[in-house]
Amino acid sequence: MSEVLVTGLVIGESARWHDGRFWCSNWGAQEVLAVDTDGKREVMVRVPTTIPFSIDWLPDGRLLVVSGPEGLLLRQEASGDLVTHADLSSYGGLNEIVVDGRGNIYVNGGCDFHPASGERPGFIVLVTPDGAVRRVADELAFPNGMVVTPDNSTLVIAESFGGVLTAYDVADDGSLSNRRVWAPHPGDGMCMDESGAIWTPGWTEQGESACLRIAEGGEILETVPLEHAGFACTLGDGTLYMLTADWHMQESFESNLDRLLSTPTGRLLTHAVPTPKAGWP
């Protein structure tokens, strides 16, 4: 049974577990939040952007923020100020981020999707620890959440409009190759557990919102029903944390956002799970 830990979010995204607390981006409020296990929330930084924006950390503990519309990867300094870590604006709008165990930063974007034309403009950009930037994947259908396996050998990305979780082999230099279907399911912000399964928001066969635990190949191992649409999830301290909001799939993006800004319905839910988190983020 899921429990409500936090209410009043606009759209919670980019779910993370860090330093004993749950973290997320609160889209529409321009803030990065940290939440303790009692539900007490703290604004860790305000981000001067609209949506999307996402978060992860460098190996030295500094917070990274993807400022999506501006195409910037920002870094929070000890002063609390956000500075530019990498200017990725030449690649287009950005969405999600994951930093692997080597310190390689993967940022995806290009979420415009044109089913009628067959265009798949999504991409993944790599920022290496020495600051070099290069494109490492293309032709993705709305790239979304990403995970990297604990051994840094595989990256899995949700193609939300492609209806698949897509995997790549990761080379020592961070390059991606051997693209393949990891599971034939759409996804959003996601995480991996120690068994190698992935938790991600999705839909049941009956079309109902749920958080799904999926094995490589596509078997649904567990289903946690959700009242509203799921946007992201992560594991921490024996708990599955799930971000939801009353998003109406039949309405336009603009209509949904206007409604949620005026009446925030975003929530953080918790659900006890036995298998701990693994990999990155």
Side-chain angles (χ1 to χ4, degrees):
M1 187 74 176
S2 299
E3 297 182 357
V4 178
L5 185 64
V6 172
T7 61
L9 303 177
V10 183
I11 304 175
E13 259 285 12
S14 200
R16 302 288 188 263
W17 181 260
H18 180 73
D19 280 350
R21 290 193 290 178
F22 172 85
W23 292 58
C24 71
S25 302
N26 188 13
W27 289 4
Q30 297 183 304
E31 57 191 19
V32 174
L33 298 176
V35 181
D36 67 18
T37 54
D38 294 322
K40 181 181 178 181
R41 61 191 196 182
E42 179 182 359
V43 177
M44 306 307 293
V45 67
R46 296 193 181 276
V47 185
T49 189
T50 53
I51 60 176
F53 61 98
S54 54
I55 59 172
D56 209 348
W57 287 264
L58 288 167
D60 64 12
R62 285 179 293 176
L63 176 69
L64 294 174
V65 180
V66 174
S67 185
E70 295 74 28
L72 296 176
L73 177 60
L74 307 176
R75 183 184 70 244
Q76 187 179 33
E77 297 293 79
S79 64
D81 295 334
L82 290 174
V83 300
T84 299
H85 186 80
D87 185 341
L88 309 178
S89 59
S90 62
Y91 294 95
L94 307 175
N95 189 23
E96 259 288 2
I97 181 174
V98 64
V99 182
D100 72 8
R102 301 185 180 104
N104 286 320
I105 304 165
Y106 294 92
V107 180
N108 66 49
C111 292
D112 295 332
F113 184 62
H114 310 286
S117 67
E119 293 179 11
R120 292 171 174 250
F123 58 83
I124 304 175
V125 172
L126 167 66
V127 182
T128 59
D130 63 4
V133 177
R134 68 180 187 275
R135 198 176 186 119
V136 290
D138 287 294
E139 298 186 0
L140 295 165
F142 202 116
N144 219 316
M146 297 181 287
V147 296
V148 177
T149 55
D151 61 1
N152 296 301
S153 67
T154 305
L155 180 146
V156 183
I157 181 169
E159 292 191 69
S160 292
F161 288 177
V164 296
L165 303 181
T166 296
Y168 295 90
D169 292 340
V170 181
D172 289 344
D173 68 354
S175 299
L176 303 180
S177 63
N178 189 28
R179 177 175 178 165
R180 59 198 180 276
V181 173
W182 192 89
H185 297 283
D188 203 319
M190 57 190 188
C191 64
M192 178 170 281
D193 67 23
E194 282 189 348
S195 77
I198 285 177
W199 282 100
T200 186
W203 308 92
T204 66
E205 291 183 357
Q206 293 73 35
E208 298 172 341
S209 181
C211 197
L212 306 175
R213 181 169 173 253
I214 305 172
E216 184 173 5
E219 181 184 358
I220 304 297
L221 303 174
E222 294 181 59
T223 300
V224 179
L226 300 174
E227 180 182 1
H228 297 145
F231 284 83
C233 65
T234 194
L235 292 165
D237 195 28
T239 301
L240 175 67
Y241 292 86
M242 301 166 287
L243 290 164
T244 70
D246 187 17
W247 187 271
H248 298 173
M249 299 301 292
Q250 70 276 15
E251 294 182 10
S252 69
F253 181 90
E254 292 76 14
S255 295
N256 272 295
L257 184 57
D258 288 344
R259 177 170 44 78
L260 292 173
L261 285 169
S262 63
T263 309
T265 60
R267 299 191 298 184
L268 172 60
L269 308 178
T270 63
H271 182 83
V273 293
T275 310
K277 180 180 173 296
W280 318 92

